[in-house]
Amino acid sequence: MSPIIVIFALYLHDFSFDDIVKKINELSTIKTEAAEYLTVYYRKLGKYEKSLEIIDRAILLDPEKMESKFTKATVFMELRKYKEAIDVFKDLLEKDKSLWGVSTNMATCYFYLGEEKNENEEYDKAIINYYKAIEIINNLIEEMIKHESKNS
């Protein structure tokens, strides 16, 4: 059964969101999808360390799921742990270079590192990664146009 259905069913039976979180945490094998919902919940509460703990559990369950790793990197960004976020983003890009959102977020991390350190090298990395994101988007658009013209 889908974790979102379980969450919704508990909600319909007047469980508070805290009770729903507790119930899901009691499951011996938390599903990655449920972990991602819990991560969003804890992020909204500003409990980023708890959010990281849960997303790490999701990554252990499904190490190949890139969305969980992306979520982990964005939590690192919210914590202003830019180097840690960059490490996760680099890992994602090694697996799939077409992820323009990863390049954009990595560029943002480099930008903020440059501000913190007042170093031009970090700004240069930011510009390079923004350029890579734009290049990926342009390639995707070209592929869409080719696909559309073949189907017309």
Side-chain angles (χ1 to χ4, degrees):
M1 179 178 288
S2 168
I4 192 65
I5 293 171
V6 173
I7 292 169
F8 187 66
L10 291 170
Y11 176 77
L12 288 177
H13 291 297
D14 291 327
F15 279 79
S16 71
F17 204 82
D18 287 338
D19 290 336
I20 294 169
V21 170
K22 186 176 177 184
K23 290 279 184 198
I24 291 172
N25 279 326
E26 288 171 1
L27 297 173
S28 58
T29 56
I30 189 167
K31 303 276 186 188
T32 56
E33 190 178 342
E36 288 171 9
Y37 289 116
L38 288 173
T39 298
V40 170
Y41 172 69
Y42 282 115
R43 285 168 69 189
K44 297 258 186 228
L45 292 176
K47 296 182 178 183
Y48 300 107
E49 295 300 331
K50 184 68 175 174
S51 182
L52 280 174
E53 177 186 320
I54 291 170
I55 204 66
D56 280 340
R57 286 168 50 189
I59 292 169
L60 283 174
L61 288 171
D62 189 355
E64 298 304 311
K65 189 164 184 190
M66 296 177 71
E67 293 87 352
S68 297
K69 291 180 182 181
F70 183 83
T71 299
K72 181 176 184 172
T74 57
V75 173
F76 278 140
M77 287 178 71
E78 290 168 340
L79 287 168
R80 297 181 179 180
K81 294 182 176 183
Y82 301 117
K83 286 185 179 185
E84 291 88 339
I86 288 169
D87 289 340
V88 177
F89 288 138
K90 282 181 179 177
D91 181 52
L92 289 170
L93 285 174
E94 283 177 15
K95 291 178 173 69
D96 187 350
K97 295 194 183 314
S98 70
L99 301 171
W100 65 271
V102 172
S103 292
T104 302
N105 282 339
M106 191 161 77
T108 302
C109 289
Y110 280 122
F111 175 80
Y112 285 124
L113 276 177
E115 277 191 343
E116 284 179 359
K117 297 178 178 181
N118 198 19
E119 291 182 4
N120 286 336
E121 182 181 330
E122 303 299 337
Y123 287 125
D124 291 344
K125 290 178 185 176
I127 292 168
I128 289 167
N129 281 282
Y130 281 128
Y131 178 77
K132 286 179 184 176
I134 292 168
E135 189 175 10
I136 291 167
I137 292 169
N138 285 338
N139 290 338
L140 290 172
I141 292 170
E142 286 176 17
E143 289 298 316
M144 287 172 45
I145 291 170
K146 285 180 189 174
H147 181 72
E148 287 297 316
S149 56
K150 284 182 183 178
N151 292 333
S152 336

